[in-house]
Amino acid sequence: MPDTRVRRTAALSTGLVVSAAALAAAALLSLTVGAQHIPFGTVMDALFHPNPDNGQHLIITESRIPRTVVGLLAGAALGLAGAVIQAVTRNPLADPGILGVNAGAALFVVFGISVLGISSLTGYVWLGFAGAAVASVVVYTIGSLGRGGATPVKVALAGAAMSAALTSLTTAVLLTDVATFDQFRFWQVGSLAGRGMDIALQGLPFVAVGIVIALASTRSLNALALGDDVAASLGQNVATARVIAAIAVVLLCGTATAMAGPIGFVGLVVPHVARMITGPDHRWLLPYSMLFAPLLLLLADVLGRVIANPGEVQVGIVTAVIGAPIFVALARRKRLAEL
Amino acid sequence: MPAPSTLQAEGLSLGYGDRRVVTDLTLEIPRGKVTVIVGPNACGKSTFLRGLARLLPPSAGAVLLDGKSIHAAPSREVALKLGILPQGPIAPDGITVTDLVSRGRHPHQGMFRRWTADDDNAVAAALSATGTLELAARGVDELSGGQRQRVWIAMALAQRTGILLLDEPTTYLDVTHQVEVLDLLVDLNEAEGATVVMVLHELNLAARYADHLIVMKSGAVVTAGEPSAVLTESVVEEVFSMRCRVVPDPVSRTPMIVPIGRHRSGDAR
Ligand SMILES: Nc1ncnc2c1ncn2[C@@H]1O[C@H](COP(=O)(O)OP(=O)(O)O)[C@@H](O)[C@H]1O
Ligand SMILES: [Mg+2]
């Protein structure tokens, strides 16, 4: 029995290394492919000896590197957040949006455009983050009222109700304000385009803290997966574990949404794909989700640039188009892993 | 396994919201013995057991583990002394038997304490004690009800607590597997001196396997003690509202309840 454990650990570790290598390759691809094809050698040059007078170098350093970094950060954040939220709610269909994160971010962004006249992407980032945080705190608080504290079902219901309410408010503003609607459209479809390094750097600390909290929670998520009573019997403080996990989800998903807009399906689909490899052990499931999700996001972004060259299709659309069939296939293949 | 701790309820009241289910209960669980709780449906057996295991906070009174309030103690410290297997636990989809049993080691690990040979030994011992060693690599969702129940008990055993509480560990099992699970728990009690407390439905098996029997009705203890002293015709009639004969079990000499119904009950009717 110890042998099988050792062998399994070796296999899963190898898988992680392979995934990391694939992710690195996808990142290089994302630097190479675009409206203007830039040879791999030039990309390397731009990476290690950037020359500000070279136009191709400028495309790499000013546009493609930030966009790739945002893709890596947002992807890792969405994958982790999805795996954590599915574990905490014990709901295989939960995606991070279940906490009202996307709806809250959207409402704040619309409010910022329409009332405060904000038009910079950096402004959207902070508004989006504030909206995500406020919505999820409200959802969590409502969900923990009454008997039994924040049970998964109550939180899910509160999240659904809150999302519906926030979305109708957003729609009300957009319907009465055409100028806002025009600006909002571009944020609303998740995209990695036009993100500067400043946005990546603003998001980085939040994502980093979120990753640390999430990866430190793997043991308690494993306990929670057995149900509240068994988890408590094993000495796990259930309420604390839930709150900590929720904080990680808000940090991760809020930041990803703020940086790239609402990107669907990544947080929902990726943990299921990862679970097929790792099984239900969160000590492996979380790292795999954290690598698979940015891989999917970067490839989707590259694909969006290739199919519409010289224009591009926003990554939020590509992930939905790729993600939906994957999800249907998973659902058909076997009943979705019940958590 | 550590020597079992003492476990007492003192003026314990439990409920849900405003609703009181268990009222002012004071008793001591005999150390190193098998205690069985019986009583009619919805009389508060599960509630009492969950209260004993600090899964439910008391509305009044206290549960004392080694003389100290169980709710004041750190969760992990309690989990090293007392484990509970609730009724009908649900395993994560796709989990293997070894994986599930390994999770019983949770309180023995920490953020910086890695898996050790001790953990491996505890898991192996739990698997072999429950006869699930040959199932080790299988998925829990492929197992029969009886096998699955033994795997959950193995998980609780891997926790290696001196006190083990179980809520209806034999429900949904056929009689062969019921006896098998109960024998297994007595093995644990005899081999390791563990305190076992369980809720059982089957009165005759309860009387046979209990050293100490607690009879509950409407959230209160009607009587408690050795089964032969406790399970009388009048107690059964009072608690279960059913007339019966009590005869010695021909196999174990413990009390055996023979119910008297309106039909097919001969002259006793
Ligand atoms: N989670 C709960 N919320 C509200 N009432 C409950 C809950 N669990 C049990 N009860 C009620 O408490 C009473 C005792 O239930 P329980 O302890 O499960 O009885 P038993 O295990 O003896 O069948 C029942 O009336 C039941 O409806
Ligand atoms: Mg019960």
Side-chain angles (χ1 to χ4, degrees), chain A residues 147, chain B residues 16 19 21 40-48 167-168:
Chain A
R147 203 153 63 192
Chain B
Y16 304 92
R19 183 142 174 258
V21 174
N41 284 334
C43 73
K45 303 179 297 291
S46 298
T47 303
F48 176 49
D167 196 354
E168 302 204 12

Side-chain angles (χ1 to χ4, degrees), chain A residues 165-248:
Chain A
L166 295 176
T167 305
S168 54
L169 271 178
T170 307
T171 312
V173 175
L174 290 176
L175 285 179
T176 54
D177 184 344
V178 178
T180 301
F181 180 64
D182 266 352
Q183 283 190 50
F184 178 72
R185 276 186 313 140
F186 287 99
W187 180 83
Q188 195 197 17
V189 180
S191 171
L192 301 180
R195 271 66 181 165
M197 209 57 197
D198 53 335
I199 286 181
L201 290 177
Q202 280 164 10
L204 177 66
F206 294 104
V207 174
V209 172
I211 288 176
V212 170
I213 298 178
L215 292 182
S217 306
T218 50
R219 259 171 36 81
S220 54
L221 294 180
N222 273 349
L224 284 185
L226 304 177
D228 288 4
D229 278 359
V230 175
S233 164
L234 292 172
Q236 182 61 51
N237 189 323
V238 173
T240 313
R242 280 237 177 78
V243 170
I244 292 176
I247 291 173

Side-chain angles (χ1 to χ4, degrees), chain A:
Chain A
M1 202 185 39
D3 302 349
T4 50
R5 193 188 308 283
V6 169
R7 249 180 292 140
R8 209 173 108 81
T9 304
L12 286 171
S13 308
T14 312
L16 270 185
V17 173
V18 171
S19 311
L23 183 57
L28 281 179
L29 197 62
S30 164
L31 294 177
T32 318
V33 175
Q36 186 178 141
H37 180 79
I38 299 178
F40 188 69
T42 318
V43 171
M44 282 301 165
D45 242 18
L47 269 180
F48 297 107
H49 315 283
N51 174 4
D53 298 328
N54 181 323
Q56 288 193 328
H57 281 201
L58 274 183
I59 293 179
I60 301 285
T61 54
E62 295 305 304
S63 158
R64 290 198 192 157
I65 291 181
R67 155 180 218 152
T68 304
V69 173
V70 169
L72 286 171
L73 289 176
L78 288 173
L80 264 183
V84 172
I85 198 77
Q86 288 176 6
V88 182
T89 57
R90 289 205 277 139
N91 175 358
L93 292 179
D95 79 42
I98 205 171
L99 284 175
V101 175
N102 290 343
L107 180 63
F108 271 53
V109 169
V110 162
F111 175 81
I113 298 172
S114 151
V115 180
L116 306 178
I118 291 175
S119 60
S120 75
L121 200 50
T122 316
Y124 297 171
V125 168
W126 287 105
L127 283 169
F129 190 69
V134 169
S136 51
V137 168
V138 172
V139 164
Y140 207 83
T141 310
I142 296 177
S144 46
L145 295 177
R147 203 153 63 192
T151 62
V153 173
K154 281 197 292 173
V155 171
L157 282 176
M162 183 59 65
S163 294
L166 295 176
T167 305
S168 54
L169 271 178
T170 307
T171 312
V173 175
L174 290 176
L175 285 179
T176 54
D177 184 344
V178 178
T180 301
F181 180 64
D182 266 352
Q183 283 190 50
F184 178 72
R185 276 186 313 140
F186 287 99
W187 180 83
Q188 195 197 17
V189 180
S191 171
L192 301 180
R195 271 66 181 165
M197 209 57 197
D198 53 335
I199 286 181
L201 290 177
Q202 280 164 10
L204 177 66
F206 294 104
V207 174
V209 172
I211 288 176
V212 170
I213 298 178
L215 292 182
S217 306
T218 50
R219 259 171 36 81
S220 54
L221 294 180
N222 273 349
L224 284 185
L226 304 177
D228 288 4
D229 278 359
V230 175
S233 164
L234 292 172
Q236 182 61 51
N237 189 323
V238 173
T240 313
R242 280 237 177 78
V243 170
I244 292 176
I247 291 173
V249 170
V250 169
L251 279 173
L252 291 168
C253 185
T255 315
T257 308
M259 287 192 298
I263 295 179
F265 279 107
V266 175
L268 175 63
V269 168
V270 165
H272 284 287
V273 176
R275 204 173 282 115
M276 283 163 54
I277 295 171
T278 65
D281 187 343
H282 292 90
R283 287 172 303 177
W284 292 106
L285 179 59
L286 262 58
Y288 268 86
S289 298
M290 189 175 97
L291 293 178
F292 281 6
L295 182 61
L296 173 64
L297 199 60
L298 286 183
L299 292 179
D301 188 45
V302 167
L303 192 63
R305 284 181 249 167
V306 171
I307 50 181
N309 201 335
E312 59 179 74
V313 181
Q314 287 163 304
V315 72
I317 297 174
V318 182
T319 55
V321 170
I322 299 177
I326 297 183
F327 195 65
V328 172
L330 282 176
R332 286 177 57 99
R333 196 173 151 271
K334 61 173 197 155
R335 66 208 155 81
L336 277 181
E338 276 171 47
L339 303 180

